[in-house]
Structure formats: structure tokens, C-alpha cells
Amino acid sequence: MKKHLFILLLTCQGIFAQVQFVAQVSKNSLGINERLRIDFVMNDDGDNFSEPAFEGFKIIGGPNQSTSYLWVNGRKSFEKTYSYYLSPTKKGTFIIKPASIEINGQVYKTNPIKITVGNAVAEERDPYNPYYQQQQQPQAYAGKSGVQLVAEISNPNPYLNEPITVVYKIYVSNRSAVGGWQVTDNPKYNNFWSQNIDVKQLQIQQGKFKGEDYRYAILRKTVLYPQKSGKLEIEPLTLDVEVEVPSNEVDFFGRPIMTTSNKKISAGAKVINVKPLPEAEKPEGFTGAVGSFDFKVIPSKTRLKNGESLDLNVVVSGKGNLKLFTLTKPIVPSSLEMYDPVHKENVTTPLTGMAGSISDLYTIIPQYKGNYPIQPLTFSYFDLVTKTYKTITSKEINIEVLDGPTAANSNAVVSNNINKTKIASNATFGFIKLKTVLSDVKNTDFLDSGLFYGLLFLPFLLIPIIMVIRKKKEAIDSDIVGNRIKLSNKLAKKYLSEAKKQIANKEPFYIALEKAMHNFLKAKLHIETSEMSKDKITEILLSRNASPESVSNFISLTENCELARYAPSTTVTIQQDYDKAVEIISILEKQI
């Protein structure tokens, strides 16, 4: 009885044994320069394994297949694993879709896995947790690569709008070599004004890194101006580097064999603690200038006549955040018309920060004769050397207008004392009407107005006019002979005008003159160029009441045009031929 019960239990265990097919990852959150291992594990042997697409990752190792059998107290256990090693291609949140396999004629799928890829870490951590350390790692990750990327910050605690520099250096151990690299993640300087400084040629230098001898090169230089106080993060620069490192194997002479692999290295995120500018003793009208500056207000002239204008140049020069603040606007009397400024920048940005000058150029035109003061301008900035605010005040500028209309009140001329800005009230407020005239407001409905009906019937009135114009145009277009005569007349005038322009050039002159005379005949005699012969031209001209003398002169001149193109002639002769052509054409036009 016991024997039969034992056999029954074994049979039930086989029937109710559950097939498992799951996906397991080394971590669910990693940096973009780290590696991820994913295992697809099943507890029964299967066929037709299909891997997922791994969107957001690239496969750098695998698939590696392993199978294990285990017998414990007469019980059998089976496990088969497909392993992949992945490298993220970009930051973000990704879903690794299910893999599938066929076991005993039925298809099984793994669970989807959510993976978050964030900023690169300063040093690549071990990409395998203890559960996976028993598995063999790919050769590309054996040993240290000997390549490091470092971001050097000039000042981690600057003031608001104080320049700092970030210099990115790549360090390579003397035991390793770098074949090349590619930027996979550029840093974003949120809440910073940034300016990259090009490194035209890499220079390899010798230095120390963590007490060891390394070669290094400067890859990039960036100048930053923080635009917000508090803790600001600079995202890391990440490179995909082709590295040659010594392996655990040696050649015939005992030298280590070099292996090539790709590795992502990162400078790591940097935190900058930005100090706000002090509120105590902050000048009124401070616009955010930080650095060391000089301030000037320069007029192009101070004495001018009526109708003339002057240029007022407001200039700030020196070293600091020149592109990140606005200049003070001048205040001028109302009798001086001031136009919007032309802003100019002459600023360079070396590694030490912005330097140069910015300016606003105002055009001012006076309206009346007199003396007009332009009040002094002030410019305030925060000095990084003394850590205090400084204010520069320009001198008062007096503009003297020598002539022109005077204001209606003699007081429009400004005195030279403190109250120089007084101007006659009737000149300043002359545009304000002192008497009010009231008129009735009439509202007329547009639908009942004459304009409405006029616009309504206007298209119908235009139809007859359009038809008349169209018929006239059709009649003109159908008159082929008339159009040809008009065209010949136009060409005759054109070539005669062209001949006049080419009097100084013999050959072009006679070509144009000959064309002008031929087109004259086309227009007047209604004949084509192919029909033109001396006898026929003479016959038609005489039949049109042209005098024999005029006909003879015309024929003679057309023959001379061909000969004169190749015979020597003077400017006087050319002028005479032109005058003669004009005279003959004019006489023939009257006679025929």
C-alpha cells in the first residue's frame, strides 16, 4: 500500500510541476557609463529562444548560455540561462520587453523590466551584484582600463555672475593606450551662461593622477557665468573611448598581450555653490554688472545748428559679465528728441572671462534754440576684488543750439543754474487742448447706407466696361499687320537710339543704324527683310510719293552702312552719318 502511495505522489508532482521563465537584471538604475547584465532563466529545457530588442541599449557581450542539473535526495532540478551584457546608449527610462521560448509545445514569455539610466558616475562601479559574481565576466571588463576623464573647476564657490572655468582633461596610464573617442553625452549648463573655447590641437603632456604617472590632454575649455544663486549642478561630459589594455596573457617573450575594448568614461556631475550678491549697500539702479569696469558718456558735439543732430555714446569697458546687463538710459529735456539706441558689443571671451566694451549710441535732434543740459548718468557694479559695490557718475553735458526757432515763451531757453531743466509750459504741453468742443455722435447702420448699395451694385456696373475693354483688346490682337507695324516702329526707334549710344564704337554703331533703317522700311512699306532689294525699295518709295532725291539718299546710306563697318572712319564721319539718317527718316516719314 505504501509503495503505491509513493508512486502516486511522484506522478502528481510531475503533473503539477510549474514551468518558470523569468528575466533578472543586475540593477534597475544605473549611470550611462555603467554596464547592465540581464539573465533569462528557465527551469525546463526549451527551444526557439527569442531575445527582446533591448531599446536604449547595445549588446556588448552575449548571449552566453549555461545549463545546470542538480540531484538532491533523489529530486532533480534543472536550470538553463541566457546571459547578455548591455551598455546604455542614452539617458532615460526604458522597458526591456519580454523574451520568449517554446517548452513542450507551449510558448512562455518573461516579465517586462523597467530600467532607469541617469547621469554618468565618476568611476564605473562593479556592474554585477553578488548574485552574479559567480558568473564569468566578458574579457572587455577584466582589469582596469587606465583611462580617466576629469573636470577641473576653477572656483566651486563663485558669486552670482562671477566667471568660472571648467577644463576637461583625459588621463591615460602609461600601461594603456587610447585609439579614439566619441562624445556620447554633452554636459548641459542649466542656469549658467556658457561659452566654449575651442581646443584646436591636442597636446599630450606628462602629469600625475592619484600619485601615478599619466599622460593627459585637454579636451575642452568652457567659461561659465552662474545666473542663479544656490547649489547648481553641472552635468557630466561622457565619452565612449577605445582603450588598449594589457590582458592576463603574455606572448612568447613574456610581454602582456594588449586587448582592445570600448569603455564609457565620465567626468562626473559637479555641484557649484553660487553665493548671492550682498544686499547691504546695493546701489539704486544696479543692473547686475559684476567685474571691474570703466564708464563714460561721450557726446559727438555740444554746439550745433538747427537741423543738425548729435550722437551720445554711453560706453562701459573693462572685464566682467559685459553681455549680461543693460546700460543706463540718458534723461534729456523734452525739447531734445532722442531716438532708440544702436547697441554695439566688442567683447572677447578667453578662459579668464569676458573682456572688452559695450555701448549704446543715441541720436539726439534739438527742436528749439537754447541751452539744454543732459543730467549726469550713474553706473554701478560689484567689484570682485574688493567685494564691494562701486558707482561711477558721468559729468553733466550742456547742449547749445545756436539757431533755429525759439519756444513761444522766452523762458524756453534753459538757464545755467540748478533749474536748467525748466522749459516753457506752452512748449512742453502745447499739444494739450485747453478748450473742449463737443459734437453729436451719429451712428449710421452700414447695411442701410449709400456705401453699402454702391458696393453691392458696383460689380454689375463694371461688367459692360470690362466687355468693351475686352473687345477692344481682341480687335487689337487680331490686327496682325498693325501690330507688326507698331513693332517695327518700336524697333526702329530702339536701334536708332542704340546707334546714338554707340557713336564712339564704329562697328556696333553701323549695325544698329542699319537695323534701324530696315525696321523703318518694315513699318512704312509693309515688307519683310527677305523682300528688301534696292529696286523694290525704290519702286515702292516712289509709288508712295517720295522724292527721287530722298530715295537715292536712303539707298546710298543703307549701302554705306555695310561698307563703313570695315572702312576707316572718324568720329566726325560717324556723327554726320547719324545726323543724315535721322534727317532722311524724318523726310521720308512726311512724304509717304
Side-chain angles (χ1 to χ4, degrees):
M1 182 66 181
K2 290 183 179 179
K3 181 178 180 182
H4 292 294
L5 182 62
F6 179 72
I7 295 173
L8 179 64
L9 289 175
L10 288 177
T11 306
C12 292
Q13 182 180 1
I15 294 173
F16 294 104
Q18 186 177 4
V19 175
Q20 292 185 348
F21 182 42
V22 295
Q24 299 172 339
V25 293
S26 58
K27 60 183 72 176
N28 292 95
S29 179
L30 68 156
I32 194 170
N33 62 327
E34 294 185 289
R35 305 294 183 261
L36 175 73
R37 174 173 172 167
I38 181 168
D39 290 342
F40 300 100
V41 185
M42 64 200 75
N43 64 350
D44 200 348
D45 197 8
D47 299 313
N48 300 324
F49 172 74
S50 178
E51 65 187 40
F54 298 121
E55 295 179 2
F57 297 86
K58 67 177 180 180
I59 299 174
I60 58 174
N64 299 328
Q65 180 179 338
S66 62
T67 305
S68 65
Y69 292 89
L70 187 64
W71 292 85
V72 179
N73 296 328
R75 297 182 59 184
K76 169 190 169 184
S77 66
F78 173 84
E79 185 175 275
K80 187 176 183 179
T81 305
Y82 290 92
S83 301
Y84 291 85
Y85 301 95
L86 308 177
S87 173
T89 57
K90 56 184 176 180
K91 294 187 293 185
T93 300
F94 306 97
I95 300 295
I96 297 180
K97 296 180 180 180
S100 64
I101 197 166
E102 185 178 345
I103 301 176
N104 297 327
Q106 187 173 353
V107 177
Y108 294 87
K109 293 185 177 181
T110 61
N111 50 305
I113 299 178
K114 181 180 179 181
I115 303 295
T116 301
V117 180
N119 290 331
V121 295
E123 292 185 2
E124 184 177 346
R125 299 188 298 270
D126 182 5
Y128 316 109
N129 61 28
Y131 176 83
Y132 293 105
Q133 285 180 359
Q134 61 188 2
Q135 304 291 344
Q136 183 180 359
Q137 299 179 8
Q139 181 65 29
Y141 303 106
K144 295 184 178 179
S145 64
V147 180
Q148 300 289 339
L149 184 63
V150 177
E152 295 181 355
I153 308 294
S154 62
N155 183 5
N157 299 293
Y159 277 101
L160 185 71
N161 268 312
E162 179 181 359
I164 63 173
T165 59
V166 184
V167 179
Y168 295 94
K169 296 180 179 179
I170 183 170
Y171 284 86
V172 181
S173 170
N174 292 331
R175 300 186 303 272
S176 305
V178 171
W181 60 79
Q182 183 179 2
V183 177
T184 59
D185 195 16
N186 271 311
K188 296 178 181 178
Y189 305 108
N190 297 324
N191 298 312
F192 289 93
W193 182 94
S194 62
Q195 175 70 55
N196 287 326
I197 299 175
D198 293 334
V199 178
K200 297 181 179 179
Q201 187 175 2
L202 293 180
Q203 295 183 353
I204 308 300
Q205 304 178 54
Q206 293 290 335
K208 293 281 187 179
F209 183 77
K210 294 183 178 180
E212 296 184 15
D213 291 332
Y214 271 78
R215 294 160 293 161
Y216 73 91
I218 297 175
L219 300 183
R220 183 182 297 185
K221 302 176 183 178
T222 305
V223 180
L224 302 177
Y225 283 83
Q227 301 298 294
K228 181 181 176 181
S229 59
K231 291 186 177 181
L232 305 180
E233 182 178 285
I234 299 177
E235 295 187 5
L237 172 68
T238 305
L239 305 178
D240 190 349
V241 183
E242 182 181 329
V243 185
E244 292 183 1
V245 295
S247 65
N248 296 327
E249 300 178 359
V250 293
D251 60 13
F252 179 78
F253 299 99
R255 294 172 301 187
I257 297 175
M258 304 296 288
T259 60
T260 301
S261 63
N262 282 71
K263 179 185 179 182
K264 283 191 177 179
I265 58 174
S266 170
K270 301 295 180 181
V271 177
I272 307 299
N273 188 18
V274 182
K275 297 179 289 187
L277 298 177
E279 291 295 329
E281 300 180 357
K282 181 182 288 187
E284 185 178 355
F286 174 72
T287 58
V290 177
S292 178
F293 303 102
D294 187 20
F295 176 68
K296 293 180 181 179
V297 180
I298 307 169
S300 60
K301 61 179 84 172
T302 55
R303 301 182 67 189
L304 62 159
K305 298 178 181 179
N306 180 40
E308 293 182 339
S309 64
L310 66 95
D311 292 332
L312 189 68
N313 200 13
V314 181
V315 184
V316 171
S317 59
K319 184 179 178 181
N321 60 333
L322 288 162
K323 296 183 179 181
L324 304 176
F325 61 83
T326 57
L327 295 175
T328 308
K329 185 177 181 179
I331 300 175
V332 300
S334 59
S335 293
L336 298 180
E337 186 175 1
M338 184 172 68
Y339 293 87
D340 290 337
V342 176
H343 185 74
K344 296 182 179 179
E345 294 182 354
N346 183 19
V347 181
T348 59
T349 309
L351 196 60
T352 54
M354 297 185 209
S357 65
I358 60 173
S359 64
D360 283 344
L361 185 66
Y362 295 86
T363 299
I364 298 176
I365 301 177
Q367 303 296 313
Y368 301 104
K369 176 182 178 181
N371 295 328
Y372 303 99
I374 297 178
Q375 299 178 8
L377 274 68
T378 60
F379 172 73
S380 300
Y381 66 94
F382 182 75
D383 192 336
L384 292 171
V385 178
T386 61
K387 304 295 188 295
T388 58
Y389 291 99
K390 292 186 178 181
T391 300
I392 303 174
T393 304
S394 66
K395 296 180 181 180
E396 182 181 83
I397 300 171
N398 187 63
I399 305 300
E400 183 180 0
V401 183
L402 301 178
D403 56 5
T406 57
N409 193 312
S410 59
N411 292 331
V413 179
V414 183
S415 61
N416 290 323
N417 55 22
I418 298 176
N419 298 321
K420 287 180 179 181
T421 57
K422 282 189 177 181
I423 298 177
S425 60
N426 58 349
T428 306
F429 304 101
F431 64 94
I432 300 177
K433 293 184 178 181
L434 302 179
K435 295 182 179 180
T436 304
V437 178
L438 301 177
S439 59
D440 294 335
V441 178
K442 295 181 180 180
N443 293 326
T444 304
D445 192 357
F446 174 70
L447 295 177
D448 251 354
S449 64
L451 178 61
F452 170 76
Y453 290 108
L455 294 175
L456 182 63
F457 292 105
L458 181 61
F460 300 99
L461 297 174
L462 291 176
I463 290 175
I465 300 174
I466 294 172
M467 293 180 65
V468 171
I469 295 173
R470 184 175 179 180
K471 286 184 178 181
K472 188 174 181 180
K473 184 177 183 303
E474 289 176 352
I476 293 172
D477 293 341
S478 61
D479 186 7
I480 299 174
V481 176
N483 291 335
R484 189 177 297 169
I485 292 171
K486 290 179 183 178
L487 179 61
S488 298
N489 267 326
K490 190 182 294 184
L491 290 173
K493 293 178 182 179
K494 174 185 174 183
Y495 287 118
L496 199 58
S497 174
E498 181 67 22
K500 187 176 181 180
K501 294 178 182 177
Q502 299 291 343
I503 284 181
N505 303 313
K506 182 183 68 173
E507 187 172 347
F509 166 78
Y510 282 108
I511 291 174
L513 186 61
E514 187 177 5
K515 289 182 178 180
M517 297 178 71
H518 283 179
N519 281 287
F520 172 75
L521 291 178
K522 287 182 182 181
K524 299 302 178 183
L525 304 183
H526 306 163
I527 61 175
E528 297 298 325
T529 304
S530 59
E531 301 174 351
M532 290 184 187
S533 65
K534 184 171 66 173
D535 295 335
K536 187 166 185 177
I537 292 171
T538 303
E539 179 184 350
I540 297 175
L541 286 176
L542 291 175
S543 66
R544 298 288 185 90
N545 299 322
S547 64
E549 183 183 357
S550 299
V551 174
S552 176
N553 290 337
F554 185 87
I555 297 298
S556 176
L557 185 58
T558 55
E559 291 175 348
N560 288 341
C561 284
E562 183 66 27
L563 297 174
R565 288 164 57 185
Y566 306 102
S569 60
T570 62
T571 305
V572 176
T573 306
I574 294 174
Q575 182 65 46
Q576 289 175 355
D577 289 341
Y578 175 78
D579 296 338
K580 187 176 180 181
V582 173
E583 181 183 359
I584 292 172
I585 290 174
S586 178
I587 293 171
L588 287 175
E589 191 169 8
K590 293 177 182 179
Q591 291 178 352
I592 64 177

